[in-house]
Amino acid sequence: MAGSLKYADIYNESITDPAAFWGKAAEEIQWVKKWDKVLDDSRKPFYGWFVGGELNTCYNALDYHVENGRGNQAAIIYDSPMTNTVLKITYNELLDQVARFAGVLKDMGVKKGDTVIIYMPMIPQALTAVLACARLGAVHSVVFGGFAPNELAIRINDAQPDVIISASCGIEGKKVIPYKPLLDEAIKLAEHKPQKTVIYQRSQLAADLIAGRDYNWDEVMKTAKKADCVTVKATDPLYILYTSGTTGKPKGVMRDNGGYAVALKWSMKYIYDVKPGEVFWAASDVGWVVGHSYIIYAPLLYGCTTIVYEGKPIGTPDPGAFWRVIAQHGVSVLFTAPTAFRAIKKEDPNADYLKKYDIKTLKYLFLAGERLDPDTYHWASGMLKIPVVDHWWQTETGWPIAANCMGIEPFPIKAGSPTKAVPGYNVEILDNNGKKIPNGQEGAVSIKLPLPPGCLPTLWKDDKRYLEYVTEIPGYYVTGDGGFFDQDGYLFIMGRIDDVINVAGHRLSTGAMEEIIAKHKDIAECAVFGMNEKLKGEVPVGFAVLKAGVNRNPDEIVKELVQMVRNDIGAVACFKQCAIVKALPKTRSGKTLRSTMRKIVNQQQYVVPSTIEDASVLDVIKDAAKKLAAEA
Ligand code: COA
Ligand code: AMP
């Protein structure tokens, strides 16, 4: 297919007549009832895709393939190097398990529209749980296993689930992480109390179960009756995925059923250039959007085999882990975050481990989650000698906004650029007044409404907060990223222009960290920023001002702050550094000069704002930032 299609034709059609474009794409999905209208724009800036349509996403991901001859193909290959496990689960087997687990949930009273939280490690049961919810039309909310009880409690309060599904433990690198105590603690902290939990007991560590509340997965599955697919509206919610905003309250990105299925299936062919039956590996986690879209839904909707890898790029056991998985399972496409490749490069700069494996099946490496720095791009493409494709997207969009679409018309790659807007996304660079900026100049990367199918129709029970995305510049969705188009129309994403940061491909909120630090009894105020770092892309660093009269050892206080962030958000926040300073730079009206501080932290040029109250404070911050960078 690649080579015969013209990107410009496809892209233009998607923008000038989105209803015709996506109506055609939707023919690939099995509908219980076809839509009345492809695109409903009667409630701008809220849009609906495939309005009047009815389907079941789980049916499309499993039953359909079993009915059409794919039953004996592996749906999942579970590869867990530290537990020495490789397990193939066919579409037949997965359908059987999902239908039975849906029966378990149904028996517990879960029905269409109910919410279920899933807090699980990278094991196949996580996919079973997700798909069982989809089968019943229940709304799942997967919470990343690396989040601490406090973060889980925040999500329990917001999603209000009656049932939570979890496991006794996760394997994180070489560590065994007990999940159940974290879940118990979260339920204790949460105001909303779920009625029941289902716990998958792993052989590495058994969890204590509370009678009457906690149910053992294996036990309840033994007697489960299979449940059928429940038909839902295309616009009904499939899931909620909480993601970091600029405050401590995460945003519950809502995903619908119909538009998501259509967009994901389309993306497998036209962006990833993969074929049904091939092995697709997204080396991420089910707790992130990449996991939702490209470990679970897209590969299964498209009839691929998906890999559930419970390991790391390095240390499980060595930097050849990815090559081993590709060779052993015949992976066609690998999708991961640049940080994984930086980690491999650091441990195996000459790619000696690669020489031990035959990875000829690998056609493409796709990278996303953070900026792909040119060094890592050159290293990966020089070593693998296949297209290394940077693509840009967000939890909110659910699938790529910009990419080099390998199934349409592959363009020459420019290091540092995710190439061009994906069909469906009308990307423009705007200035502060919402005016279009000429190519070559940096501004706010924005998407002209409507967003294509698959993107967030709104935030979970929070239309008001959703409106913040689409009313700042009327008619546009503001992505929060800064960037520019070059003279050839290639898009460059230069980083967030708000207080969201990306640490090792994990999206985190500096605002959330500030709220935690501010709770310390000795802290008057603080600010946290992302500081560029070689391996993880960014790491958070803090600047804290002590309350008047506090005379304690600053190192002790910093240790306490680090521990507080670790306890409240999780180790994944990687908050390890904080400077105690005499003041934060402010304007005369008392606003912290955050963008100036952000520039100082990353040693960028800055202009001293004319509104500054005391310019000497900037020197204090500069010195402190230099020290933090040297210690990192
Ligand atoms: N459960 C519990 N703890 C977790 C966790 C999980 N699922 N994931 C991470 N953590 C912990 C780690 O154990 C570590 O704890 P520590 O401070 O006690 O050592 C901490 O969170 C930081 O983890 P991480 O950022 O992953 O750093 P690392 O040094 O362990 O590994 C990389 C670095 C680059 C190898 C790793 O981050 C990686 O593989 N990144 C790929 C990113 C990715 O898949 N992103 C998803 C979007 S595509
Ligand atoms: P998340 O919602 O976790 O997927 O994080 C989304 C954010 O990650 C984006 O807003 C970007 O800041 C960043 N990001 C993701 N992919 C890329 C990419 N290919 N290039 C640059 N930044 C990226």
Side-chain angles (χ1 to χ4, degrees):
M1 186 63 78
S4 61
L5 297 173
K6 282 279 166 256
Y7 165 82
D9 297 340
I10 293 182
Y11 182 76
N12 290 339
E13 190 201 340
S14 77
I15 301 303
T16 52
D17 195 351
F21 184 87
W22 291 112
K24 243 184 289 165
E27 298 293 344
E28 299 296 319
I29 292 295
Q30 308 307 309
W31 299 84
V32 175
K33 174 181 171 286
K34 285 238 168 122
W35 54 91
D36 300 325
K37 209 165 178 199
V38 176
L39 173 61
D40 175 13
D41 58 3
S42 60
R43 291 177 54 241
K44 284 179 189 172
F46 295 93
Y47 294 85
W49 285 99
F50 307 106
V51 174
E54 291 177 0
L55 77 163
N56 180 279
T57 301
C58 176
Y59 174 84
N60 274 275
L62 296 180
D63 307 59
Y64 172 74
H65 297 307
V66 168
E67 289 165 15
N68 287 277
R70 225 174 260 291
N72 291 323
Q73 180 196 311
I76 297 176
I77 299 175
Y78 167 53
D79 188 308
S80 173
M82 291 299 102
T83 63
N84 236 330
T85 314
V86 171
L87 184 69
K88 290 193 181 175
I89 301 167
T90 64
Y91 272 92
N92 277 332
E93 290 162 344
L94 186 59
L95 173 57
D96 178 69
Q97 286 161 25
V98 167
R100 281 196 292 134
F101 195 66
V104 168
L105 293 177
K106 193 174 166 186
D107 237 30
M108 292 185 162
V110 174
K111 52 185 192 319
K112 181 157 117 179
D114 289 350
T115 49
V116 173
I117 279 191
I118 299 171
Y119 183 64
M120 290 184 103
M122 282 293 287
I123 54 176
Q125 288 73 15
L127 281 71
T128 303
V130 160
L131 292 163
C133 290
R135 194 169 188 82
L136 295 177
V139 184
H140 60 77
S141 184
V142 183
V143 178
F144 174 57
F147 279 131
N150 176 57
E151 288 289 318
L152 177 56
I154 292 172
R155 288 154 176 79
I156 293 173
N157 283 339
D158 199 72
Q160 310 244 313
D162 282 337
V163 176
I164 299 187
I165 304 159
S166 189
S168 55
C169 68
I171 312 295
E172 160 55 22
K174 290 179 179 147
K175 292 179 281 191
V176 174
I177 310 257
Y179 269 46
K180 183 59 175 20
L182 304 177
L183 173 64
D184 288 340
E185 176 66 15
I187 293 176
K188 210 156 91 191
L189 290 172
E191 278 165 29
H192 173 84
K193 305 289 178 199
Q195 300 301 307
K196 295 187 167 88
T197 79
V198 185
I199 309 295
Y200 182 73
Q201 295 276 25
R202 302 188 69 181
S203 57
Q204 292 75 24
L205 183 80
D208 292 333
L209 302 186
I210 298 173
R213 191 198 73 179
D214 301 336
Y215 293 81
N216 178 321
W217 175 293
D218 283 334
E219 291 298 318
V220 287
M221 281 290 264
K222 268 188 208 154
T223 52
K225 285 193 261 354
K226 290 187 192 176
D228 282 339
C229 292
V230 173
T231 299
V232 298
K233 290 190 198 129
T235 48
D236 278 342
L238 173 66
Y239 67 75
I240 314 163
L241 177 55
Y242 289 92
T243 190
S244 302
T246 51
T247 68
K249 188 176 186 294
K251 296 175 170 183
V253 167
M254 189 198 122
R255 196 81 64 207
D256 64 9
N257 277 270
Y260 190 52
V262 170
L264 289 188
K265 203 161 181 183
W266 184 92
S267 75
M268 291 298 275
K269 180 170 176 181
Y270 293 104
I271 299 179
Y272 297 100
D273 188 28
V274 67
K275 291 188 180 56
E278 289 188 338
V279 182
F280 188 92
W281 178 23
S284 178
D285 188 287
V286 288
W288 304 113
V289 68
V290 176
H292 282 65
S293 294
Y294 292 104
I295 294 175
I296 308 178
Y297 285 111
L300 297 179
L301 285 166
Y302 201 56
C304 285
T305 299
T306 186
I307 296 211
V308 174
Y309 175 65
E310 193 181 29
K312 294 237 169 189
I314 53 169
T316 58
D318 57 44
F322 274 21
W323 322 136
R324 197 267 305 157
V325 172
I326 295 166
Q328 190 170 339
H329 306 308
V331 172
S332 291
V333 173
L334 168 62
F335 175 173
T336 190
T339 188
F341 268 74
R342 288 196 296 271
I344 297 171
K345 180 179 163 212
K346 193 171 166 208
E347 291 213 350
D348 185 21
N350 300 318
D352 290 331
Y353 279 87
L354 181 58
K355 295 175 194 135
K356 299 187 191 172
Y357 301 96
D358 177 356
I359 61 160
K360 65 175 177 306
T361 55
L362 191 69
K363 294 193 293 186
Y364 305 112
L365 167 64
F366 281 85
L367 295 168
E370 52 174 335
R371 182 161 186 264
L372 172 57
D373 54 289
D375 274 1
T376 306
Y377 165 74
H378 288 301
W379 186 77
S381 70
M383 172 193 61
L384 294 172
K385 299 186 176 55
I386 54 169
V388 172
V389 185
D390 180 11
H391 60 330
W392 167 63
W393 50 300
Q394 311 181 310
T395 304
E396 288 85 343
T397 63
W399 64 289
I401 310 166
N404 201 341
C405 291
M406 288 292 125
I408 301 181
E409 181 189 359
F411 287 106
I413 291 171
K414 286 196 191 189
S417 166
T419 316
K420 308 215 174 190
V422 166
Y425 292 96
N426 192 352
V427 178
E428 293 183 7
I429 310 294
L430 306 177
D431 68 13
N432 289 341
N433 302 315
K435 284 241 160 58
K436 213 166 153 174
I437 290 182
N439 285 3
Q441 287 178 32
E442 206 171 318
V445 188
S446 311
I447 306 166
K448 197 159 189 210
L449 295 172
L451 293 171
C455 299
L456 79 170
T458 188
L459 292 177
W460 179 250
K461 295 200 169 147
D462 201 348
D463 282 352
K464 204 166 146 225
R465 200 167 178 205
Y466 166 78
L467 286 173
E468 291 171 11
Y469 288 109
V470 290
T471 50
E472 187 182 332
I473 304 177
Y476 289 86
Y477 165 87
V478 178
T479 65
D481 280 302
F484 63 93
F485 280 112
D486 75 1
Q487 300 306 340
D488 302 324
Y490 278 60
L491 182 64
F492 286 76
I493 301 295
M494 303 311 290
R496 299 287 304 196
I497 44 182
D498 56 15
D499 291 322
V500 167
I501 59 171
N502 254 288
V503 181
H506 306 143
R507 175 165 159 180
L508 297 160
S509 158
T510 54
M513 297 182 207
E514 287 168 9
E515 283 178 26
I516 294 164
I517 294 170
K519 285 187 210 151
H520 191 285
K521 63 177 180 12
D522 296 335
I523 300 297
E525 60 174 341
C526 67
V528 176
F529 300 93
M531 181 173 76
N532 295 335
E533 198 258 356
K534 263 200 180 135
L535 174 65
K536 300 195 174 186
E538 273 181 304
V539 289
V541 294
F543 298 85
V545 180
L546 299 183
K547 284 181 182 157
V550 173
N551 256 331
R552 296 182 51 212
N553 177 349
D555 291 346
E556 285 297 313
I557 297 177
V558 168
K559 257 194 216 154
E560 289 162 10
L561 299 177
V562 166
Q563 196 55 45
M564 282 170 78
V565 174
R566 199 178 162 92
N567 289 349
D568 276 15
I569 296 182
V572 74
C574 285
F575 179 78
K576 293 185 175 155
Q577 290 183 282
C578 186
I580 302 292
V581 290
K582 67 167 189 190
L584 299 180
K586 298 265 169 90
T587 62
R588 281 188 286 274
S589 61
K591 251 179 102 179
T592 305
L593 289 162
R594 297 190 63 91
S595 73
T596 314
M597 285 186 80
R598 202 181 293 134
K599 285 185 181 141
I600 292 176
V601 166
N602 288 305
Q603 287 156 45
Q604 292 165 350
Q605 296 275 342
Y606 66 91
V607 181
V608 178
S610 55
T611 51
I612 195 162
E613 188 188 28
D614 176 359
S616 74
V617 179
L618 286 183
D619 295 328
V620 174
I621 299 297
K622 230 158 77 182
D623 289 346
K626 259 194 207 148
K627 241 178 107 195
L628 291 174
E631 285 163 4

